[in-house]
């Protein structure tokens, strides 16, 4: 069924991209946006550019504070720093049968959403996409990766999960229902923590790090720490995913993570969401993570410095 009313919260690099794809595929999609972003989208449309694409959509918009009906599915794609305000913004859209599908880094957001809306209403989700926002507000594709995976975190699964799956598939990106979605979320967490730590601690691209003596060993040590936390938590990273993470952080041509780009730009970073929560869980589980502790401290100093 593709008749679900879908509210996309966050029209940035992730939410804007997947929401735009869904809208173009004929799904009933509305974007919840703040006035500034709403004005830009009304003026220029939702543009997706790069990799040979330059498309413009005129999506349905509702400004924050103006929601007057509930939706069947809420796709939540905001930065961790904006989660609290986003929840207040979209709460009027949540009715008795609404499902919430968040695509945030780490797992801390699940506790917050569960407390507000109930665990049965909150799905698990993993978004993988290589996009950024240009200075003119366009969503720029940087690579071919574009996939969503999602699934229930409770038993029995929500009755409308099959409808969600039907709405998200066949919309121009890879989409898959995952019965082990929490494990998949841990695997992605290990990946983004590893690459972010290697970049941030060494202040260089992956290529820079592995080009010097000891760089590859350092990168692999970071991966081992993050993977050890996942395993201790009961969600060991599947062998294939772990090998892919190791390959990424030791790639002689590797670049930098989005967190690292934000760090170099002097912007706010998701240090607590990605590293603070991970190291806190490590302490609770008795796992030693000196490298992850160091990057956590470094990013806290950065956040303190920029205010």
């Amino acid at each position: 069924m593709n008749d679900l009313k879908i509210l996309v919260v966050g029209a940035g690099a992730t939410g804007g991209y997947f929401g735009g794809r869904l809208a173009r595929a004929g799904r009933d999609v509305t974007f919840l946006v703040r006035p500034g972003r709403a004005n830009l989208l009304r003026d220029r449309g939702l543009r997706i550019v790069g990799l040979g694409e330059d498309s413009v959509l005129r999506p349905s918009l509702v400004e924050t504070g103006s929601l007057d009906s509930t939706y069947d599915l809420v796709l939540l794609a905001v930065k961790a720093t904006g989660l609290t305000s986003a929840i207040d913004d979209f709460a009027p859209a949540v009715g008795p049968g609404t499902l919430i599908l968040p695509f945030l880094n780490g797992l801390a957001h699940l506790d917050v959403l569960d407390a507000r809306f109930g665990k049965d209403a909150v799905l698990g989700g993993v978004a993988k996409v290589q996009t950024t926002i240009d200075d003119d507000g366009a969503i720029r594709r940087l690579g071919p990766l574009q996939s969503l995976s999602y699934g229930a975190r409770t038993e029995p699964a929500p009755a409308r999960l099959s409808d969600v799956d039907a709405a998200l598939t066949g919309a121009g990106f890879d989409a898959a229902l995952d019965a082990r979605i929490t494990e998949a979320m841990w695997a992605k967490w290990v990946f983004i923590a590893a690459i972010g730590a290697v970049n941030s601690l060494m202040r260089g691209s992956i290529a820079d790090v592995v080009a010097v003596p000891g760089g590859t060993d350092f990168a692999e040590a970071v991966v081992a720490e993050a993977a050890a936390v996942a395993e201790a938590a009961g969600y060991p990273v599947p062998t294939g995913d772990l090998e892919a993470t190791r390959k990424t952080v030791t790639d002689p041509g590797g670049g930098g993570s989005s967190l690292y780009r934000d760090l170099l730009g002097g912007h706010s970073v998701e240090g607590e969401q990605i590293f603070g929560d991970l190291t806190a869980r490590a302490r609770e589980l008795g796992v030693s993570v000196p490298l992850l502790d160091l990057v956590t401290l470094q990013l806290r100093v950065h956040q303190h410095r920029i205010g």
Side-chain angles (χ1 to χ4, degrees):
M1 293 175 62
N2 294 331
D3 60 347
L4 291 186
K5 285 182 61 181
I6 302 172
L7 182 70
V8 177
V9 183
T14 299
Y17 180 78
F18 287 111
R21 286 285 188 254
L22 289 167
R24 192 171 69 177
R27 310 302 192 261
D28 184 356
V29 174
T30 299
F31 287 88
L32 177 63
V33 289
R34 296 189 180 280
R37 183 65 170 159
N39 290 336
L40 182 66
L41 291 173
R42 291 190 183 105
D43 181 41
R44 301 181 181 179
L46 178 67
R47 289 187 61 207
I48 300 176
V49 302
L51 303 186
E53 178 177 1
D54 190 349
S55 60
V56 181
L57 299 167
R58 299 287 176 179
S60 175
L61 306 176
V62 59
E63 292 188 22
T64 52
S66 299
L67 281 169
D68 58 5
S69 64
T70 59
Y71 288 74
D72 300 307
L73 176 65
V74 174
L75 295 183
L76 178 60
V78 297
K79 290 282 191 180
T81 50
L83 177 61
T84 299
S85 60
I87 288 174
D88 290 337
D89 290 340
F90 77 75
V94 179
T98 302
L99 292 176
I100 301 166
L101 179 49
F103 295 109
L104 282 78
N105 291 323
L107 274 80
H109 60 282
L110 296 178
D111 293 336
V112 179
L113 291 166
D114 290 351
R116 180 71 177 266
F117 302 107
K119 189 172 183 178
D120 290 345
V122 182
L123 302 174
V126 172
K128 296 180 180 179
V129 66
Q130 297 160 292
T131 51
T132 189
I133 297 290
D134 282 350
D135 292 340
D136 63 357
I139 298 167
R140 177 167 296 276
R141 299 185 67 193
L142 304 176
L145 188 64
Q146 48 172 349
S147 71
L148 296 181
S149 56
Y150 39 86
R153 300 167 45 239
T154 58
E155 290 290 344
R160 298 209 72 179
L161 183 57
S162 60
D163 293 341
V164 171
D165 185 40
L168 297 181
T169 54
F173 53 83
D174 294 333
L177 191 59
D178 190 341
R180 305 177 71 175
I181 190 61
T182 304
E183 180 182 275
M185 293 177 71
W186 268 99
K188 183 183 178 183
W189 194 3
V190 168
F191 174 83
I192 61 175
I195 188 172
V198 171
N199 289 149
S200 300
L201 284 176
M202 294 297 106
R203 281 300 196 276
S205 68
I206 297 298
D208 292 331
V209 174
V210 302
V212 302
T216 296
D217 289 342
F218 160 75
E220 290 181 342
V222 171
V223 175
E225 283 190 8
V229 183
E231 184 167 3
Y235 297 97
V237 180
T239 302
D241 290 331
L242 191 57
E243 183 55 35
T245 297
R246 289 196 186 100
K247 185 176 181 180
T248 298
V249 300
T250 58
D251 180 2
S257 64
S258 58
L259 180 144
Y260 183 52
R261 290 194 293 271
D262 288 340
L263 181 65
L264 290 182
H267 306 304
S268 180
V269 297
E270 291 186 315
E272 293 304 321
Q273 182 83 355
I274 297 173
F275 296 105
D277 188 31
L278 190 60
T279 54
R281 292 174 192 247
R283 284 190 294 276
E284 292 172 0
L285 296 165
V287 179
S288 177
V289 288
L291 295 173
L292 296 177
D293 281 336
L294 186 59
V295 72
T296 302
L297 179 60
Q298 181 194 75
L299 296 179
R300 283 173 176 163
V301 172
H302 168 77
Q303 285 296 125
H304 173 76
R305 185 170 61 243
I306 68 172

